[in-house]
């Protein structure tokens, strides 16, 4: 009886979520799959074309370029951006009175709106001799570099700027995780004669293992969908060397007005990420449950 | 894999906590010097790498363009040009776009709170028989990479099902989709579930209905949880670029992040830097004032790309 009376209020209270998620998440999910199989251009009625969009997208050389760029971006971001926060967190945890100040400094770039940070980096990386970074390098005798204007340095420069903007949030997660290390383990390791590095290897890192595995996957999924940094830093150039898949999706939709192709590429990228996540989860499940 | 629990759980104070180095090793004379040296080195590097670009921006915002081109590394401008800031604010229209950013973030906050509070209350406190269904529907959206939703969500906003409304070039196009954030609902549900159930029972025995329990019992007890959720929402809205750039094409509605590249174009370099400085000021000040809550929110979001 009490249950029956409580049902109506519960339904009413669930309504905002059901409406908002229904219209802006559940329905678009279904619609995205349908859209991927339709020829849908702005202003025209959609027409069912099956897998035509998929084959069209996969045959587009621009997509191949962007896929390689995105892979390079993700890989480079893992090499540069994944270990750095771990090292920073371990070091910050050792600090006493200055820890909160240091954490504040580390996190500061994260609160900068990416658009501001990126446009600031564009100025710092100005390819002219008078660019800030180039002036700095000139002091130590390094030739001025074209940075964002060269196909070899543009992508790494974008990765560095993006890492600068995001490393702080990972550091905060690791520092929080490190605060729960069981201190007896350090003591025991110390009694066994383990030096600082051995303690990092045998106590700190195993303790972080679960968090590290999750963060690695989150970073992978995040960087595979990189957009704002490369878009505002380089507009995808020079010569498409920093064009990512999400930029191509936007170009299909906004510039070419080909929504079917945009949805198909979006679905393909999303499906690959889900596949990667599932594979990753299965691979790491055994040693992730520490 | 309990990132949330770790982030919100209590932890020993930094000064008492045993870490890699033992308290004895730290107190030894060499240990103390080593600790101080480490702290100084870390802070110095962070000051240059993290704070450096910001400080440079602050300086550049009150320099002349000639100064910036001739001597970009000068520590001090050749006389403060406060005009730059006034120019960027007024002529450069940064002030106006900061107001639109506040409108975008404020509306997103209201919608998100209404959705998250009611849904979390149903899931964590009322627990009707169909609650797992709702939770499952929310979790499902978390498993889908955002890119899958981008284009169909854009089409939905351009033509709302059944109503046939076109929300583009209205704030609702940003506000309503911002509410469809399952992560925020789950964080809040977790918080509500941690409140002692006896209080709800007591209120119910006293004759309070579900709505009164929510408004007079649950919400007053949920300050910290609501703060974390609010910060997550406001910061995400303040930082977002791609979505508002797609649905807000009318320049007068665009938040500062979207409008900035266009605003900078006609300005001389020094005023460009002043515009960037002004655009960074609000979030940086918010962060400096509300640090503890920012870190709680960062911990809760598990370092995702919000």
């Amino acid at each position: 009886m009490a249950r029956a009376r409580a049902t109506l209020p519960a339904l009413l209270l669930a309504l905002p979520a059901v409406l908002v998620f229904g219209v802006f998440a559940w329905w678009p999910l279904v619609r995205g799959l349908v859209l991927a199989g339709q020829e849908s251009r702005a202003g025209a009625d959609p027409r069912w074309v099956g897998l035509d969009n998929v084959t069209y997208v996969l045959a587009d050389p621009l997509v191949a370029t962007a896929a390689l760029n995105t892979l390079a971006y993700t890989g480079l971001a893992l090499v540069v951006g994944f270990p750095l926060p771990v090292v920073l967190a371990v070091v910050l945890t050792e600090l006493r009175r200055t820890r909160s100040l240091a954490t504040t400094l580390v996190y500061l770039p994260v609160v900068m709106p990416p658009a501001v940070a990126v446009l600031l980096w564009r100025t710092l990386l100005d390819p002219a001799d008078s660019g800030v970074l180039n002036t700095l390098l000139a002091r130590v005798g390094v030739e001025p570099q074209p940075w964002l204007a060269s196909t070899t340095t543009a992508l790494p420069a974008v990765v560095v700027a993006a890492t600068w903007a995001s490393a702080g949030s990972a550091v905060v997660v690791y520092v929080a995780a490190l605060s729960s290390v069981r201190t007896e383990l350090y003591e025991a390791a110390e009694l066994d004669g383990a030096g600082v590095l051995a303690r990092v290897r045998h106590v700190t890192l195993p303790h972080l293992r679960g968090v590290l595995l999750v963060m690695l996957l989150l970073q992978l999924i995040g960087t595979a969908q990189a957009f704002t940094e490369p878009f505002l830093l380089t507009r995808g150039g020079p010569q498409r060397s920093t064009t990512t898949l999400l930029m191509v999706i936007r170009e299909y939709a906004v510039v070419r007005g080909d929504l079917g192709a945009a949805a198909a590429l979006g679905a393909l990228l999303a499906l690959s990420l889900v596949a990667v996540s599932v594979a990753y989860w299965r691979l790491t499940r055994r040693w992730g449950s520490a | 894999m309990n990132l949330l629990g770790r982030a919100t759980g209590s932890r020993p104070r930094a000064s008492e906590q045993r870490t890699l180095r033992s308290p004895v090793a730290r107190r030894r004379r060499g240990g103390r010097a080593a600790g101080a040296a480490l702290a100084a080195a870390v802070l110095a590097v962070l000051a240059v790498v993290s704070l450096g670009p910001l400080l440079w921006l602050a300086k550049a915002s009150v320099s002349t363009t000639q100064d910036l081109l001739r001597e970009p590394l000068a520590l001090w401008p050749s006389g403060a040009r406060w005009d730059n800031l006034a120019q960027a604010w007024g002529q450069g229209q940064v002030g106006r776009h900061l107001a639109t950013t506040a409108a975008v973030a404020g509306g997103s906050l209201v919608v998100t709170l209404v959705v998250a509070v009611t849904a979390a209350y149903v899931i964590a406190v009322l627990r009707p028989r169909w609650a797992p269904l709702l939770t499952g529907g929310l979790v499902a959206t978390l498993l889908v990479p955002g890119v899958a939703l981008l284009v169909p969500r854009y089409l939905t906003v351009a033509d709302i099902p059944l109503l046939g409304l076109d929300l583009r070039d209205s704030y609702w196009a940003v506000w309503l989709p911002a509410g469809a954030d399952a992560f925020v609902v789950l964080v809040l549900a977790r918080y509500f579930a941690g409140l002692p159930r006896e209080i709800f029972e007591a209120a119910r025995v006293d004759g309070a209905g579900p709505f009164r329990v929510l408004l007079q019992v649950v919400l007053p007890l949920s300050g910290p949880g609501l703060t974390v959720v609010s910060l997550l929402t406001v910061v995400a809205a303040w930082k977002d670029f791609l979505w508002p750039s797609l649905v807000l094409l009318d320049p007068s509605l665009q938040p500062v992040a979207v409008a900035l590249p266009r605003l900078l174009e006609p300005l001389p370099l020094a005023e460009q830097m002043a515009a960037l400085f002004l655009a960074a000021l609000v979030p940086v000040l918010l962060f400096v004032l509300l640090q503890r809550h920012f870190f709680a929110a960062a911990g809760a979001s598990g370092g995702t790309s919000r």
Side-chain angles (χ1 to χ4, degrees), chain A residues 185-195 198-199:
Chain A
L185 294 176
Y186 284 129
E187 273 150 31
E190 206 172 357
L191 286 177
D192 288 345
R199 273 173 257 161

Side-chain angles (χ1 to χ4, degrees), chain A residues 3 13 23-24 26 28 35 94 96 104-105 108-111 123 130 132 135 164 190 199 210-211 214-215 225, chain B residues 1 6 14 17-20 42 49-50 54 56 69 72 118 127 137 147 152-153 155-156 239 273 283 291 302:
Chain A
R3 187 135 223 167
L13 284 164
V23 175
F24 298 104
W26 300 330
L35 195 64
E94 292 311 309
R96 305 283 126 185
T104 303
L105 286 177
L108 195 59
V110 180
V111 301
T123 310
S130 60
V132 177
T135 314
W164 179 82
E190 206 172 357
R199 273 173 257 161
V211 183
V214 172
M215 297 293 280
Q225 302 176 67
Chain B
M1 215 57 52
R6 270 186 198 134
Q17 189 191 333
R18 161 69 159 95
T19 53
L20 273 177
V42 171
V49 174
S50 215
L54 260 185
W56 185 86
L69 292 177
T118 50
R127 298 184 189 163
V147 61
R153 200 182 251 185
L155 282 179
T156 306
K239 290 175 77 166
M273 296 303 111
Q291 277 185 55

Side-chain angles (χ1 to χ4, degrees), chain A:
Chain A
M1 197 56 219
R3 187 135 223 167
R5 262 190 292 122
T7 300
L8 188 64
L11 281 172
L12 277 177
L13 284 164
L15 205 56
V18 170
L19 281 178
V20 166
F21 277 88
V23 175
F24 298 104
W26 300 330
W27 165 240
L29 265 177
V30 177
R31 186 153 186 203
L33 288 176
V34 175
L35 195 64
Q38 289 178 330
E39 178 175 292
S40 174
R41 292 178 179 276
D45 279 334
R47 191 167 60 87
W48 186 255
V49 293
L51 290 177
D52 279 10
N53 284 325
V54 175
T55 47
Y56 167 77
V57 159
L58 289 177
D60 187 344
L62 177 58
V63 170
T65 309
L68 287 177
N69 288 339
T70 305
L71 268 180
Y73 185 94
T74 304
L76 209 56
L78 280 187
V79 173
V80 178
F82 188 69
L84 183 77
V86 184
V87 175
L88 274 172
V90 170
V91 172
L92 289 196
T93 304
E94 292 311 309
L95 299 180
R96 305 283 126 185
R97 262 163 293 171
T98 49
R99 188 197 295 181
S100 62
L101 175 61
T103 314
T104 303
L105 286 177
V106 166
Y107 198 74
L108 195 59
V110 180
V111 301
M112 295 264 284
V116 177
V118 163
L119 294 169
L120 171 60
W121 274 91
R122 208 167 70 181
T123 310
L124 297 179
L125 293 172
D126 192 302
D129 295 0
S130 60
V132 177
L133 190 61
N134 279 339
T135 314
L136 200 66
L137 288 177
R139 298 227 169 141
V140 290
V142 178
E143 293 286 300
Q145 300 294 319
W147 302 120
L148 301 171
S150 143
T151 49
T152 44
T153 50
L155 194 67
V158 173
V159 169
V160 168
T163 304
W164 179 82
S166 66
S169 55
V171 174
V172 169
V173 173
Y174 292 136
V175 167
L178 282 176
S179 71
S180 66
V181 183
R182 281 172 47 223
T183 58
E184 309 92 82
L185 294 176
Y186 284 129
E187 273 150 31
E190 206 172 357
L191 286 177
D192 288 345
V196 169
L197 285 182
R199 273 173 257 161
V200 169
R201 213 184 121 206
H202 295 294
V203 182
T204 311
L205 290 182
H207 179 82
L208 284 182
R209 189 166 51 194
V211 183
L212 285 171
L213 288 174
V214 172
M215 297 293 280
L216 186 73
L217 185 62
L218 286 178
Q219 196 193 334
L220 209 115
I221 295 172
T223 51
Q225 302 176 67
F227 175 82
T228 307
E229 284 87 0
F231 181 77
L232 286 174
L233 266 173
T234 60
R235 295 271 153 182
Q239 290 156 50
R240 294 287 191 180
S241 63
T242 57
T243 301
T244 63
L245 282 169
L246 202 53
M247 286 167 75
V248 176
I249 293 174
R250 179 192 169 276
E251 197 170 313
Y252 279 155
V254 175
V255 182
R256 303 193 197 171
D258 190 346
L259 297 164
L265 186 51
L268 281 177
L269 177 55
L271 286 176
S272 347
L273 287 177
V274 170
V276 167
S277 306
V278 171
Y280 181 85
W281 210 241
R282 297 204 143 191
L283 265 174
T284 58
R285 195 173 38 182
R286 254 173 305 147
W287 25 286
S289 54

Side-chain angles (χ1 to χ4, degrees), chain B residues 193-208:
Chain B
L195 299 173
R197 280 196 84 76
E198 302 85 70
I199 306 184
F200 310 146
E201 298 301 335
R204 227 168 282 169
V205 170
D206 287 348

Side-chain angles (χ1 to χ4, degrees), chain B residues 179-197:
Chain B
D181 185 343
F183 184 80
V184 158
V185 181
L186 296 182
V187 168
L188 207 57
R190 217 191 133 80
Y191 193 89
F192 287 174
L195 299 173
R197 280 196 84 76

